[in-house]
Amino acid sequence: MNCAACSQAIEKALLKVEGIRKVNVNLSTETAYVVYNQEIINEEKIKEIIRKTGYEVAEESKKITLQIGGMTCASCSQAIEKTLLKTTGVKKANVNLATEKATISYDPEKIKYKEIKNAIENVGYNVLEKDVELSFENGKSIELSKLADKRKKVILAWILTIPIIVWMIPEMLFSISFPNPLVFNLGLIFFSALVLFIPGWTTYKSATKAIRHGTANMDVLIMLGTLASFLTGPASLFTDLANYAGVGAMIMAFHLSGRYIEAKAKGRASQAIKRLLELEAKKATILKDGIEQEVPIDEVEKGDLMVIRPGDKIPTDGIIIEGISSIDESMATGESMPISKKPGDTVIGATINQRGFLKVQATKIGKETFLSQIIKLVEEAQGSKVPVQEFADRVTSYFVPIVLLLAIFAFILWTAFPNEMRNVTIWAVQFLPWVNPDLSTLSLAIFATVATLVIACPCALGLATPTVLMVGTGMGAENGVLIRQGEAIQTLKDAKVIVFDKTGTITKGKPDVTDVIPVDGLSKNDLLKIAASVEKGSEHPIAEAVISKAEEEKISLVEINDFESITGKGVKANIGSGDNIIVGNYKLLDESKIDYDKLKSKLTELEKDAKTPTLIAKNGEFIGIIAEADTIKDDSKKAIAEIEKMGLRTIMLTGDNRQTAEAIAKKVGISQVIAEVLPRKKVSEIQKLQKEFGIVAMVGDGINDAPALTQADIGIAIGTGTDVAIEAGDVVLVNGKLSEVVKAIKLSRATFRKIKQNLFWAFFYNSIMIPFAILGLAHPVIAEIAMATSSITVITNANLLRRSDIRPAFSKEVN
């Protein structure tokens, strides 16, 4: 709604409907209060009527993050996700296998946390933590204990499997069953049972739980494959069936090894958040009653005065009360050069004080701090999905049942057409040493069935996107680019046009003095002294720029009296021995009948350069001009040139007059200018560009430009200071430089490239290897090694994203 006509339209539409007794639509709060008869109409119908009238209903929604226990593969995460999405009141659910977390949006009026927890537990998984907030130490210790447990299982499995391998080699190579066939077969059965039912017990437990709850995961395939192999052992004592019990043990040992390596690789993929958590200061030195006290960071309160010495880590966000220093903010902004700070400047917690002694007042603590906001944004992004992932998710949800059917199909194929299938193995024996066409038909059928069960890999599909997203969003956070949603990566990669707001985006957003032009032999410093002394009484941004310039030049100001401010024109005052000074625009000097013709051509030139001239007169005589301009950011020109080189069209969208806008656009090299656009009209301009060009990204300050940023396919919000919680932006740039836009585009392209590579590999692997196994050409052990390798491959490829150079080309030259 944007006017009273909108609220009236909704009221009229609702009051026409039977069952609605009273309606009050409040435009200022954007809320509709409706009294209705529940027997005739319900809430959903009312929402539908509002939507048909052309407006949206912002439904109440809560978001929680849950740590899930018991997931072992992509089929597990899909089972939980499907269950949650079927649960009444749950609007959105994303279960991330890589982080082992579920991000759930739900209607608190329809469902409570306990019911969500029950829904997950009813599918056979555990909810470990609600709204997970582990300290770095706790998170690290939990992860290390999980890894240690997996490592123990792997070691035990191989201690028991190596004797099997040693025992099987003479039999495989020379057909010698040492010391005799009976002892050999019994020995394999004994050692295999130890491997399967001691270190492999957790796999069986997970599989049994999945079957009991009507789902199927990777562990079900492993259990069926290893048990089928193991049962051939006892059967071989009474039939001519080959003994594959040892193969079952080897499959389990390789499976556990793959899970361990996968867990380590996933740990590397998530190290960005770990690094951010590790950055947090553990202690702070605060001043209480003039005495320094060292306290844990959790005990620091807002308003506390912190003492920070050179080399110390700043404990939490604050404002400098005393001292001057250079601060290394690279952890927050990705900016390698230290930033000079003085009293009144804000500082970010966890950054490093390099030189001076500082006293800083704490302004933000706990969840409010810059670092906490970054960690929250990164975790939210990792809890989201890239649109291209949806197809992979659909495939994964049916994957295990399809593999089970294919395994049955393989068994039927071998038993129904034994001669034809055996001919394939006879042909393949010259290339594949493990193929043995001399085995019985039943042995070969079991061989193919087991290989089919264990070679398929839903995990590669399930991990293909989340792991890359983890690395990409983490890289972004380390480089001052915060990606709020995974979808933003795919959208930004496809953008055709980048629209820039002018003020505060291309320019610094505040005026600076650019020219000081005195007349009649007056020095520049004298002109500045006169103007700044009078402007001292004004609060106008231009006055601040003049005063700031005088301070920069170390000019001491004089006292003034009889100060007068004339709105929209300028100021007057008497200084020194009674000299009357006027500082203002043309109108003020024209009203005072002061002639400024001697610099008229200069004034025209300044305006063409998008500068604002301030005219100064003393005792009725024109004495000079001080020009101000919203100066262009240092990197704007180079960043826009690089964006154009990437094949993107750049457009400036601003409310400023066309002459000023075009002057700025010419300086920075922007292709097109849309000027004199009121804030409320910016949305319709974005819509026009979307129709003309397709996907449009907009870069703005996230506050004044919020509607236009939301309308754009992807909104890139310029962050300011320690505030990164800019709701309108899909991407937030921490340090407000346009070079960060270049980083964001490069990161989105590199990340999406890795996602495509991973998805291609996962689909290619499964489409090649499963037919290979059905034909009896894949040894079950080699099949399991291939399966584990495919998961590790997609995770390793995701970690290789860290090698991508996302810096702008011009920053590399500087470095």
Side-chain angles (χ1 to χ4, degrees):
M1 296 191 296
N2 51 44
C3 69
C6 300
S7 55
Q8 283 297 308
I10 296 167
E11 278 188 15
K12 281 179 184 176
L14 289 171
L15 288 168
K16 284 178 187 173
V17 178
E18 189 186 354
I20 293 179
R21 294 176 181 171
K22 189 179 175 185
V23 180
N24 175 25
V25 180
N26 189 317
L27 176 64
S28 58
T29 60
E30 296 185 321
T31 312
Y33 296 91
V34 185
V35 179
Y36 62 98
N37 184 339
Q38 287 179 305
E39 291 175 8
I40 300 172
I41 192 168
N42 60 28
E43 193 180 318
E44 288 306 314
K45 184 70 179 169
I46 293 169
K47 289 175 184 175
E48 194 182 316
I49 293 160
I50 295 170
R51 289 190 183 106
K52 281 181 179 175
T53 314
Y55 302 89
E56 286 300 318
V57 178
E59 303 199 32
E60 192 181 347
S61 183
K62 267 191 176 181
K63 187 186 271 189
I64 53 168
T65 303
L66 306 178
Q67 186 81 37
I68 308 293
M71 290 197 296
T72 56
C73 74
S75 296
C76 301
S77 57
Q78 279 298 302
I80 298 168
E81 208 168 281
K82 269 186 168 180
T83 302
L84 286 170
L85 290 170
K86 285 178 188 172
T87 308
T88 305
V90 173
K91 296 177 178 178
K92 197 174 176 185
N94 178 28
V95 182
N96 190 319
L97 174 65
T99 59
E100 296 182 342
K101 287 178 186 175
T103 305
I104 304 154
S105 295
Y106 66 99
D107 184 342
E109 289 186 7
K110 293 180 181 175
I111 191 168
K112 304 296 178 207
Y113 164 69
K114 195 175 178 183
E115 293 167 82
I116 293 172
K117 187 182 176 187
N118 289 343
I120 294 168
E121 288 175 347
N122 288 341
V123 200
Y125 302 92
N126 307 319
V127 176
L128 304 178
E129 300 279 347
K130 179 185 176 183
D131 292 324
V132 188
E133 286 171 21
L134 296 173
S135 70
F136 176 71
E137 286 79 9
N138 289 342
K140 197 172 179 182
S141 64
I142 289 169
E143 191 174 306
L144 287 174
S145 67
K146 278 184 183 177
L147 274 176
D149 184 51
K150 282 184 167 70
R151 190 166 175 269
K152 281 178 193 170
K153 286 188 174 78
V154 169
I155 291 168
L156 180 58
W158 282 109
I159 286 170
L160 297 169
T161 303
I162 286 168
I164 295 173
I165 295 169
V166 171
W167 213 346
M168 285 177 73
I169 286 170
E171 196 271 341
M172 285 173 72
L173 298 178
F174 311 109
S175 301
I176 298 171
S177 301
F178 180 83
N180 59 59
L182 181 62
V183 174
F184 173 78
N185 285 328
L186 288 172
L188 290 186
I189 293 165
F190 173 73
F191 278 107
S192 296
L194 293 177
V195 174
L196 298 179
F197 299 108
I198 300 175
W201 181 245
T202 50
T203 302
Y204 284 179
K205 201 161 82 172
S206 165
T208 309
K209 193 191 281 184
I211 293 167
R212 202 167 61 241
H213 289 91
T215 62
N217 59 15
M218 190 68 209
D219 290 333
V220 171
L221 299 180
I222 296 297
M223 182 179 78
L224 291 174
T226 52
L227 281 179
S229 301
F230 175 74
L231 292 173
T232 59
S236 68
L237 299 173
F238 312 104
T239 65
D240 64 346
L241 202 62
N243 184 350
Y244 290 132
V247 169
M250 282 188 270
I251 290 169
M252 183 61 78
F254 278 112
H255 171 69
L256 295 172
S257 301
R259 284 273 182 255
Y260 172 65
I261 297 165
E262 191 181 297
K264 284 192 82 173
K266 277 200 293 189
R268 283 197 296 277
S270 64
Q271 63 190 191
I273 286 216
K274 290 174 206 160
R275 274 199 290 267
L276 289 171
L277 286 166
E278 198 169 20
L279 288 169
E280 289 179 320
K282 308 296 179 284
K283 291 181 179 178
T285 303
I286 60 171
L287 269 180
K288 286 230 170 144
D289 303 320
I291 300 165
E292 290 186 18
Q293 296 178 15
E294 190 173 77
V295 296
I297 191 66
D298 295 340
E299 291 179 21
V300 175
E301 295 178 0
K302 281 184 187 178
D304 280 350
L305 197 61
M306 303 178 290
V307 173
I308 300 143
R309 291 180 169 78
D312 283 357
K313 192 175 276 189
I314 294 169
T316 191
D317 296 358
I319 187 165
I320 297 175
I321 303 299
E322 188 182 307
I324 295 172
S325 184
S326 291
I327 293 177
D328 177 3
E329 293 188 343
S330 56
M331 58 70 66
T333 64
E335 186 65 53
S336 57
M337 296 298 291
I339 310 295
S340 297
K341 298 279 182 176
K342 60 185 186 302
D345 288 345
T346 56
V347 291
I348 298 170
T351 56
I352 309 294
N353 176 29
Q354 290 200 329
R355 291 180 188 159
F357 177 85
L358 296 175
K359 286 183 183 176
V360 175
Q361 188 176 52
T363 55
K364 292 181 182 178
I365 55 170
K367 287 184 188 178
E368 300 172 344
T369 65
F370 177 88
L371 190 60
S372 296
Q373 286 184 63
I374 285 186
I375 291 167
K376 181 173 176 282
L377 286 176
V378 173
E379 285 185 329
E380 279 180 4
Q382 292 180 353
S384 63
K385 287 186 179 181
V386 180
V388 75
Q389 187 182 345
E390 290 172 11
F391 177 67
D393 285 347
R394 281 201 300 274
V395 173
T396 306
S397 63
Y398 298 108
F399 195 91
V400 174
I402 288 169
V403 170
L404 288 169
L405 290 173
L406 288 173
I408 294 165
F409 171 71
F411 188 83
I412 293 167
L413 199 64
W414 274 91
T415 49
F417 306 99
N419 294 330
E420 290 82 355
M421 298 305 289
R422 194 183 295 273
N423 287 337
V424 175
T425 59
I426 291 167
W427 167 81
V429 76
Q430 56 189 317
F431 314 110
L432 307 171
W434 55 80
V435 174
N436 184 358
D438 298 328
L439 293 171
S440 67
T441 298
L442 187 58
S443 295
L444 288 170
I446 291 170
F447 185 93
T449 304
V450 171
T452 305
L453 286 169
V454 301
I455 205 167
C457 186
C459 295
L461 278 171
L463 291 167
T465 304
T467 47
V468 179
L469 207 54
M470 281 169 73
V471 177
T473 51
M475 267 180 78
E478 289 168 4
N479 283 277
V481 178
L482 303 178
I483 295 161
R484 295 175 67 89
Q485 293 290 326
E487 188 179 346
I489 287 172
Q490 188 168 335
T491 311
L492 182 55
K493 183 267 307 178
D494 292 328
K496 301 287 184 285
V497 170
I498 307 281
V499 177
F500 296 92
D501 175 45
K502 181 182 77 69
T503 308
T505 303
I506 294 170
T507 64
K508 291 178 180 175
K510 60 176 186 176
D512 284 331
V513 171
T514 56
D515 301 83
V516 179
I517 308 163
V519 295
D520 299 334
L522 195 68
S523 72
K524 287 185 178 183
N525 279 7
D526 285 342
L527 184 63
L528 262 175
K529 184 174 186 171
I530 291 166
S533 296
V534 175
E535 293 278 32
K536 197 166 56 173
S538 173
E539 292 181 356
H540 196 279
I542 284 177
E544 287 177 21
V546 173
I547 295 161
S548 178
K549 181 69 176 175
E551 286 173 353
E552 190 184 303
E553 299 294 332
K554 296 183 170 57
I555 296 169
S556 55
L557 306 184
V558 295
E559 290 300 316
I560 62 167
N561 51 63
D562 299 328
F563 176 83
E564 184 188 354
S565 175
I566 300 103
T567 305
K569 294 174 185 177
V571 292
K572 295 178 181 179
N574 292 328
I575 67 166
S577 57
D579 289 327
N580 179 258
I581 307 297
I582 295 175
V583 181
N585 57 22
Y586 303 111
K587 289 178 185 176
L588 189 55
L589 265 72
D590 287 340
E591 280 177 12
S592 306
K593 295 186 169 50
I594 296 169
D595 179 30
Y596 49 83
D597 281 352
K598 59 182 80 174
L599 285 180
K600 206 155 193 177
S601 60
K602 191 67 183 174
L603 288 168
T604 308
E605 189 184 313
L606 290 169
E607 285 181 332
K608 278 183 181 174
D609 285 341
K611 294 174 182 177
T612 304
T614 300
L615 287 67
I616 302 103
K618 178 182 175 183
N619 297 327
E621 291 292 322
F622 177 58
I623 61 169
I625 302 167
I626 295 176
E628 300 88 7
D630 183 4
T631 52
I632 294 166
K633 289 179 182 176
D634 298 336
D635 67 340
S636 290
K637 186 176 180 179
K638 288 179 177 177
I640 286 163
E642 192 159 344
I643 290 165
E644 289 270 351
K645 273 185 191 173
M646 290 177 176
L648 294 159
R649 185 176 180 82
T650 56
I651 297 172
M652 182 197 290
L653 179 63
T654 179
D656 272 6
N657 67 73
R658 179 159 292 279
Q659 191 175 356
T660 303
E662 285 182 348
I664 296 283
K666 191 176 178 183
K667 283 181 182 177
V668 296
I670 275 188
S671 305
Q672 183 181 337
V673 175
I674 304 170
E676 298 171 12
V677 181
L678 295 172
R680 67 175 182 272
K681 296 284 185 183
K682 283 187 177 181
V683 169
S684 59
E685 290 296 337
I686 293 289
Q687 288 170 340
K688 285 177 193 173
L689 291 171
Q690 285 169 326
K691 282 178 187 172
E692 186 179 350
F693 296 105
I695 294 174
V696 172
M698 174 157 182
V699 186
D701 62 14
I703 302 155
N704 302 325
D705 301 314
L709 285 175
T710 306
Q711 175 59 43
D713 297 283
I714 180 154
I716 302 172
I718 299 282
T720 51
T722 58
D723 181 23
V724 294
I726 300 171
E727 292 300 321
D730 303 296
V731 175
V732 179
L733 309 179
V734 174
N735 69 13
K737 290 187 175 182
L738 286 199
S739 56
E740 306 303 290
V741 179
V742 178
K743 284 184 186 177
I745 296 166
K746 285 189 170 185
L747 178 65
S748 70
R749 290 179 176 184
T751 304
F752 196 73
R753 192 161 52 244
K754 285 290 175 195
I755 288 171
K756 284 203 296 186
Q757 287 170 2
N758 271 1
L759 288 172
F760 171 79
W761 165 252
F763 280 111
F764 174 77
Y765 165 84
N766 283 298
S767 60
I768 293 295
M769 299 306 282
I770 293 173
F772 203 65
I774 291 170
L775 293 170
L777 306 179
H779 193 286
V781 174
I782 293 167
E784 179 54 32
I785 295 169
M787 189 279 290
T789 305
S790 68
S791 290
I792 295 159
T793 301
V794 297
I795 299 170
T796 305
N797 189 45
N799 281 313
L800 288 175
L801 177 61
R802 300 200 65 82
R803 295 186 184 179
S804 301
D805 190 352
I806 64 167
R807 289 175 301 155
F810 59 85
S811 73
K812 293 174 206 171
E813 290 164 20
V814 173
N815 289 337

